[in-house]
Amino acid sequence: MTPERYRRLRDVLDRRQPDLTVLMENVHKPHNLSAILRTADAVGVYEAHAVNPTGGVPTFHDTSGGSEKWVYLRVHPDVEEAVAHLKERGFTVYAANLSERALDYREVDYTRPAAVLLGAEKWGVSPRAAELADADVIIPMMGMVQSLNVSVAAAVILFEAQRQRLAAGLYDRPRLDPATYRRTLFEWAYPREAAVLRRQGRSYPELDEEGRIV
């Protein structure tokens, strides 16, 4: 771990947004999952969420650029559990879903805790997921096609969230709680050592100002 690498990790972690996330409901194609996680990393999402009935998620694609190492992914057994988990933590869930109640995605206040719910590639969000969401959002379309690829839709909405949060100054100071910040920093800086310590049930050691293990 070089001091320059350590400072880079801290700079990125300082801008992580614990109250902005994405929930992927049965997004099966690896390249779409990876692209969404790459966008999530780019806008500062700390933890993403996924629902997959098999209990896992597709293999990451090379185009992710290693995003899975920087954005935690919590997998839920079903959409009911996933939405309940988010709402218990104060998130408003916005489903990307064409409906009569849908809002233009730019009308949403993403400076408040927000989760963007995206559905499977061909079918979109399920009726049950739409029912559980707090609101629907749409991206206005001017062409013959009425929807975007799921990863493109995620990017459009998440970068609007980033725009609003930048204007509100939410990237100007660290927003993770100190314990989460220290834990994540060690796992990013020393992933192999962190894995060994977790298996052994041991706590992570402290790091000095240059990122060396104390």
CSV table of all heavy atoms in Angstrom, one decimal, residues 4-40:
chain,number,residue,atom,x,y,z
A,4,GLU,N,0.2,7.2,-1.8
A,4,GLU,CA,-0.7,7.7,-2.9
A,4,GLU,C,-2.0,6.9,-3.1
A,4,GLU,O,-3.1,7.4,-3.3
A,4,GLU,CB,0.1,7.8,-4.2
A,4,GLU,CG,1.3,8.8,-4.2
A,4,GLU,CD,2.5,8.3,-3.5
A,4,GLU,OE1,2.5,7.0,-3.2
A,4,GLU,OE2,3.4,9.1,-3.1
A,5,ARG,N,-1.8,5.6,-3.1
A,5,ARG,CA,-2.9,4.7,-3.2
A,5,ARG,C,-3.9,4.9,-2.1
A,5,ARG,O,-5.1,4.9,-2.2
A,5,ARG,CB,-2.5,3.3,-3.3
A,5,ARG,CG,-3.5,2.2,-3.3
A,5,ARG,CD,-4.3,2.2,-4.6
A,5,ARG,NE,-5.1,1.0,-4.7
A,5,ARG,CZ,-6.0,0.8,-5.7
A,5,ARG,NH1,-6.1,1.7,-6.7
A,5,ARG,NH2,-6.7,-0.3,-5.7
A,6,TYR,N,-3.3,5.0,-0.9
A,6,TYR,CA,-4.2,5.2,0.3
A,6,TYR,C,-5.0,6.5,0.3
A,6,TYR,O,-6.1,6.5,0.6
A,6,TYR,CB,-3.3,5.1,1.6
A,6,TYR,CG,-4.0,5.2,2.9
A,6,TYR,CD1,-4.8,4.2,3.3
A,6,TYR,CD2,-3.8,6.3,3.7
A,6,TYR,CE1,-5.5,4.2,4.5
A,6,TYR,CE2,-4.5,6.3,5.0
A,6,TYR,CZ,-5.3,5.3,5.3
A,6,TYR,OH,-6.0,5.3,6.5
A,7,ARG,N,-4.3,7.5,-0.2
A,7,ARG,CA,-5.0,8.8,-0.3
A,7,ARG,C,-6.2,8.7,-1.3
A,7,ARG,O,-7.2,9.3,-1.1
A,7,ARG,CB,-4.1,9.9,-0.7
A,7,ARG,CG,-3.2,10.4,0.5
A,7,ARG,CD,-2.5,11.7,0.2
A,7,ARG,NE,-1.6,11.6,-0.9
A,7,ARG,CZ,-0.3,11.3,-0.7
A,7,ARG,NH1,0.2,11.0,0.6
A,7,ARG,NH2,0.5,11.2,-1.7
A,8,ARG,N,-5.9,8.0,-2.4
A,8,ARG,CA,-6.9,7.8,-3.4
A,8,ARG,C,-8.1,7.1,-2.9
A,8,ARG,O,-9.3,7.4,-3.1
A,8,ARG,CB,-6.3,7.0,-4.6
A,8,ARG,CG,-7.3,6.6,-5.7
A,8,ARG,CD,-8.0,7.7,-6.3
A,8,ARG,NE,-8.9,7.2,-7.4
A,8,ARG,CZ,-9.9,7.9,-7.9
A,8,ARG,NH1,-10.2,9.1,-7.4
A,8,ARG,NH2,-10.7,7.4,-8.9
A,9,LEU,N,-7.9,6.0,-2.1
A,9,LEU,CA,-9.0,5.3,-1.5
A,9,LEU,C,-9.8,6.1,-0.6
A,9,LEU,O,-11.0,6.1,-0.6
A,9,LEU,CB,-8.4,4.1,-0.7
A,9,LEU,CG,-7.8,2.9,-1.6
A,9,LEU,CD1,-7.2,1.9,-0.6
A,9,LEU,CD2,-8.7,2.4,-2.6
A,10,ARG,N,-9.1,6.9,0.2
A,10,ARG,CA,-9.8,7.8,1.2
A,10,ARG,C,-10.6,8.9,0.4
A,10,ARG,O,-11.7,9.2,0.8
A,10,ARG,CB,-8.8,8.5,2.1
A,10,ARG,CG,-8.1,7.5,3.0
A,10,ARG,CD,-7.6,8.1,4.3
A,10,ARG,NE,-8.6,8.7,5.1
A,10,ARG,CZ,-8.5,9.0,6.4
A,10,ARG,NH1,-7.4,8.8,7.0
A,10,ARG,NH2,-9.5,9.5,7.0
A,11,ASP,N,-10.0,9.4,-0.6
A,11,ASP,CA,-10.8,10.4,-1.4
A,11,ASP,C,-12.1,9.9,-2.0
A,11,ASP,O,-13.1,10.6,-1.9
A,11,ASP,CB,-9.9,10.9,-2.6
A,11,ASP,CG,-8.8,11.9,-2.1
A,11,ASP,OD1,-8.8,12.4,-1.0
A,11,ASP,OD2,-7.8,12.1,-2.9
A,12,VAL,N,-12.0,8.6,-2.5
A,12,VAL,CA,-13.3,8.0,-3.0
A,12,VAL,C,-14.2,7.7,-1.9
A,12,VAL,O,-15.4,8.0,-2.0
A,12,VAL,CB,-12.9,6.7,-3.8
A,12,VAL,CG1,-14.2,6.0,-4.1
A,12,VAL,CG2,-12.1,7.1,-5.0
A,13,LEU,N,-13.7,7.2,-0.8
A,13,LEU,CA,-14.6,6.8,0.4
A,13,LEU,C,-15.2,8.1,1.0
A,13,LEU,O,-16.4,8.0,1.5
A,13,LEU,CB,-13.8,6.1,1.4
A,13,LEU,CG,-14.6,5.2,2.4
A,13,LEU,CD1,-15.6,4.3,1.7
A,13,LEU,CD2,-13.6,4.5,3.3
A,14,ASP,N,-14.5,9.2,0.9
A,14,ASP,CA,-15.1,10.5,1.5
A,14,ASP,C,-16.3,10.9,0.8
A,14,ASP,O,-17.1,11.7,1.3
A,14,ASP,CB,-14.0,11.6,1.4
A,14,ASP,CG,-12.9,11.5,2.4
A,14,ASP,OD1,-13.1,10.6,3.4
A,14,ASP,OD2,-11.9,12.2,2.3
A,15,ARG,N,-16.5,10.4,-0.5
A,15,ARG,CA,-17.6,10.9,-1.3
A,15,ARG,C,-18.7,9.8,-1.4
A,15,ARG,O,-19.7,10.0,-2.1
A,15,ARG,CB,-17.2,11.3,-2.7
A,15,ARG,CG,-16.3,12.5,-2.7
A,15,ARG,CD,-16.0,13.0,-4.1
A,15,ARG,NE,-15.1,12.1,-4.8
A,15,ARG,CZ,-13.8,12.2,-4.9
A,15,ARG,NH1,-13.2,13.2,-4.2
A,15,ARG,NH2,-13.1,11.4,-5.6
A,16,ARG,N,-18.6,8.7,-0.7
A,16,ARG,CA,-19.6,7.7,-0.8
A,16,ARG,C,-20.9,8.2,-0.1
A,16,ARG,O,-20.9,8.8,0.9
A,16,ARG,CB,-19.1,6.4,-0.1
A,16,ARG,CG,-18.2,5.5,-1.0
A,16,ARG,CD,-18.9,5.1,-2.2
A,16,ARG,NE,-18.2,4.1,-3.0
A,16,ARG,CZ,-17.7,4.2,-4.2
A,16,ARG,NH1,-17.8,5.3,-4.8
A,16,ARG,NH2,-17.2,3.2,-4.8
A,17,GLN,N,-22.0,7.8,-0.8
A,17,GLN,CA,-23.3,8.2,-0.3
A,17,GLN,C,-24.1,7.0,0.3
A,17,GLN,O,-24.6,6.2,-0.5
A,17,GLN,CB,-24.1,8.8,-1.5
A,17,GLN,CG,-23.4,9.9,-2.3
A,17,GLN,CD,-23.3,11.2,-1.4
A,17,GLN,OE1,-24.3,11.8,-1.1
A,17,GLN,NE2,-22.1,11.6,-1.1
A,18,PRO,N,-24.2,7.0,1.6
A,18,PRO,CA,-24.9,5.8,2.2
A,18,PRO,C,-26.4,5.8,2.0
A,18,PRO,O,-27.0,4.8,2.2
A,18,PRO,CB,-24.5,5.9,3.7
A,18,PRO,CG,-24.3,7.4,3.9
A,18,PRO,CD,-23.6,7.9,2.6
A,19,ASP,N,-27.0,7.0,1.5
A,19,ASP,CA,-28.4,7.0,1.4
A,19,ASP,C,-28.8,7.2,-0.1
A,19,ASP,O,-29.9,7.7,-0.4
A,19,ASP,CB,-29.0,8.2,2.2
A,19,ASP,CG,-28.3,9.5,1.9
A,19,ASP,OD1,-27.3,9.5,1.1
A,19,ASP,OD2,-28.7,10.5,2.5
A,20,LEU,N,-28.0,6.7,-1.0
A,20,LEU,CA,-28.4,6.6,-2.4
A,20,LEU,C,-28.0,5.2,-2.8
A,20,LEU,O,-26.9,4.7,-2.6
A,20,LEU,CB,-27.6,7.6,-3.2
A,20,LEU,CG,-27.8,7.5,-4.8
A,20,LEU,CD1,-29.3,7.9,-5.1
A,20,LEU,CD2,-26.9,8.5,-5.5
A,21,THR,N,-29.0,4.5,-3.4
A,21,THR,CA,-28.7,3.1,-3.8
A,21,THR,C,-29.6,2.7,-5.0
A,21,THR,O,-30.4,3.5,-5.5
A,21,THR,CB,-29.0,2.1,-2.6
A,21,THR,OG1,-28.4,0.9,-3.0
A,21,THR,CG2,-30.4,2.0,-2.3
A,22,VAL,N,-29.3,1.5,-5.5
A,22,VAL,CA,-30.1,0.9,-6.6
A,22,VAL,C,-30.4,-0.5,-6.2
A,22,VAL,O,-29.7,-1.2,-5.6
A,22,VAL,CB,-29.2,1.0,-7.9
A,22,VAL,CG1,-27.9,0.2,-7.8
A,22,VAL,CG2,-30.0,0.4,-9.1
A,23,LEU,N,-31.7,-0.9,-6.6
A,23,LEU,CA,-32.2,-2.2,-6.4
A,23,LEU,C,-32.5,-2.8,-7.7
A,23,LEU,O,-33.3,-2.4,-8.4
A,23,LEU,CB,-33.4,-2.2,-5.5
A,23,LEU,CG,-34.2,-3.5,-5.3
A,23,LEU,CD1,-33.4,-4.6,-4.8
A,23,LEU,CD2,-35.5,-3.2,-4.5
A,24,MET,N,-31.8,-3.9,-8.0
A,24,MET,CA,-32.0,-4.6,-9.3
A,24,MET,C,-32.8,-5.9,-9.1
A,24,MET,O,-32.4,-6.8,-8.3
A,24,MET,CB,-30.6,-5.0,-9.9
A,24,MET,CG,-29.8,-3.8,-10.2
A,24,MET,SD,-28.0,-4.2,-10.5
A,24,MET,CE,-27.4,-4.4,-8.8
A,25,GLU,N,-34.0,-5.9,-9.7
A,25,GLU,CA,-34.9,-7.1,-9.5
A,25,GLU,C,-34.7,-8.0,-10.7
A,25,GLU,O,-35.1,-7.8,-11.8
A,25,GLU,CB,-36.3,-6.6,-9.5
A,25,GLU,CG,-37.3,-7.7,-9.2
A,25,GLU,CD,-38.7,-7.4,-9.5
A,25,GLU,OE1,-39.0,-6.4,-10.3
A,25,GLU,OE2,-39.6,-8.1,-9.0
A,26,ASN,N,-34.0,-9.1,-10.5
A,26,ASN,CA,-33.8,-10.2,-11.5
A,26,ASN,C,-33.2,-9.6,-12.7
A,26,ASN,O,-33.6,-10.0,-13.9
A,26,ASN,CB,-35.1,-10.8,-11.8
A,26,ASN,CG,-35.7,-11.5,-10.6
A,26,ASN,OD1,-35.0,-12.0,-9.7
A,26,ASN,ND2,-37.1,-11.5,-10.5
A,27,VAL,N,-32.2,-8.8,-12.6
A,27,VAL,CA,-31.3,-8.4,-13.7
A,27,VAL,C,-30.4,-9.5,-14.0
A,27,VAL,O,-29.4,-9.7,-13.3
A,27,VAL,CB,-30.6,-7.1,-13.5
A,27,VAL,CG1,-29.6,-6.7,-14.6
A,27,VAL,CG2,-31.6,-5.9,-13.2
A,28,HIS,N,-30.6,-10.3,-15.1
A,28,HIS,CA,-29.9,-11.5,-15.3
A,28,HIS,C,-28.6,-11.4,-16.1
A,28,HIS,O,-27.7,-12.2,-15.9
A,28,HIS,CB,-30.9,-12.5,-16.0
A,28,HIS,CG,-32.0,-12.9,-15.2
A,28,HIS,ND1,-31.9,-13.7,-14.0
A,28,HIS,CD2,-33.4,-12.7,-15.3
A,28,HIS,CE1,-33.1,-13.9,-13.5
A,28,HIS,NE2,-34.0,-13.3,-14.3
A,29,LYS,N,-28.6,-10.5,-17.0
A,29,LYS,CA,-27.4,-10.4,-17.9
A,29,LYS,C,-26.2,-9.9,-17.2
A,29,LYS,O,-26.3,-8.7,-16.7
A,29,LYS,CB,-27.8,-9.6,-19.2
A,29,LYS,CG,-28.9,-10.3,-20.0
A,29,LYS,CD,-29.2,-9.4,-21.2
A,29,LYS,CE,-30.3,-10.1,-22.1
A,29,LYS,NZ,-30.6,-9.3,-23.2
A,30,PRO,N,-25.1,-10.6,-17.2
A,30,PRO,CA,-23.9,-10.1,-16.5
A,30,PRO,C,-23.4,-8.7,-16.9
A,30,PRO,O,-23.0,-7.9,-16.1
A,30,PRO,CB,-22.9,-11.2,-16.7
A,30,PRO,CG,-23.7,-12.4,-17.0
A,30,PRO,CD,-24.9,-12.0,-17.7
A,31,HIS,N,-23.5,-8.4,-18.2
A,31,HIS,CA,-23.0,-7.2,-18.6
A,31,HIS,C,-23.8,-6.0,-18.1
A,31,HIS,O,-23.4,-4.9,-17.9
A,31,HIS,CB,-22.8,-7.1,-20.2
A,31,HIS,CG,-24.1,-7.2,-20.9
A,31,HIS,ND1,-24.7,-8.3,-21.3
A,31,HIS,CD2,-24.9,-6.2,-21.4
A,31,HIS,CE1,-25.8,-8.1,-21.9
A,31,HIS,NE2,-25.9,-6.8,-22.1
A,32,ASN,N,-25.2,-6.3,-18.0
A,32,ASN,CA,-26.0,-5.2,-17.5
A,32,ASN,C,-25.8,-5.0,-16.0
A,32,ASN,O,-25.7,-3.9,-15.5
A,32,ASN,CB,-27.5,-5.6,-17.7
A,32,ASN,CG,-27.9,-5.3,-19.1
A,32,ASN,OD1,-27.4,-4.4,-19.8
A,32,ASN,ND2,-28.9,-6.1,-19.6
A,33,LEU,N,-25.7,-6.1,-15.2
A,33,LEU,CA,-25.4,-6.0,-13.8
A,33,LEU,C,-24.1,-5.2,-13.6
A,33,LEU,O,-24.0,-4.3,-12.8
A,33,LEU,CB,-25.3,-7.4,-13.2
A,33,LEU,CG,-24.9,-7.4,-11.7
A,33,LEU,CD1,-26.0,-6.8,-10.8
A,33,LEU,CD2,-24.6,-8.9,-11.3
A,34,SER,N,-23.1,-5.6,-14.3
A,34,SER,CA,-21.8,-5.0,-14.2
A,34,SER,C,-21.8,-3.5,-14.6
A,34,SER,O,-21.2,-2.7,-13.9
A,34,SER,CB,-20.7,-5.7,-15.1
A,34,SER,OG,-20.6,-7.0,-14.7
A,35,ALA,N,-22.5,-3.2,-15.6
A,35,ALA,CA,-22.6,-1.8,-16.0
A,35,ALA,C,-23.4,-0.9,-15.0
A,35,ALA,O,-23.0,0.2,-14.7
A,35,ALA,CB,-23.4,-1.7,-17.4
A,36,ILE,N,-24.4,-1.5,-14.4
A,36,ILE,CA,-25.1,-0.7,-13.3
A,36,ILE,C,-24.2,-0.5,-12.1
A,36,ILE,O,-24.2,0.6,-11.6
A,36,ILE,CB,-26.4,-1.5,-12.9
A,36,ILE,CG1,-27.4,-1.5,-14.1
A,36,ILE,CG2,-27.0,-0.8,-11.7
A,36,ILE,CD1,-28.6,-2.4,-13.9
A,37,LEU,N,-23.4,-1.5,-11.8
A,37,LEU,CA,-22.5,-1.4,-10.6
A,37,LEU,C,-21.4,-0.4,-11.0
A,37,LEU,O,-21.0,0.4,-10.1
A,37,LEU,CB,-21.9,-2.7,-10.3
A,37,LEU,CG,-22.9,-3.7,-9.6
A,37,LEU,CD1,-22.1,-5.0,-9.3
A,37,LEU,CD2,-23.4,-3.1,-8.3
A,38,ARG,N,-21.0,-0.3,-12.2
A,38,ARG,CA,-20.0,0.7,-12.6
A,38,ARG,C,-20.5,2.1,-12.5
A,38,ARG,O,-19.8,3.0,-12.0
A,38,ARG,CB,-19.5,0.4,-14.0
A,38,ARG,CG,-18.4,1.3,-14.5
A,38,ARG,CD,-17.8,0.8,-15.8
A,38,ARG,NE,-16.6,1.6,-16.1
A,38,ARG,CZ,-15.5,1.1,-16.7
A,38,ARG,NH1,-15.5,-0.2,-17.0
A,38,ARG,NH2,-14.5,1.8,-17.0
A,39,THR,N,-21.8,2.3,-12.9
A,39,THR,CA,-22.4,3.6,-12.7
A,39,THR,C,-22.6,3.9,-11.3
A,39,THR,O,-22.3,5.0,-10.8
A,39,THR,CB,-23.7,3.6,-13.4
A,39,THR,OG1,-23.5,3.4,-14.8
A,39,THR,CG2,-24.4,4.9,-13.2
A,40,ALA,N,-23.0,2.9,-10.5
A,40,ALA,CA,-23.2,3.1,-9.0
A,40,ALA,C,-21.9,3.6,-8.4
A,40,ALA,O,-21.9,4.5,-7.6
A,40,ALA,CB,-23.7,1.9,-8.4
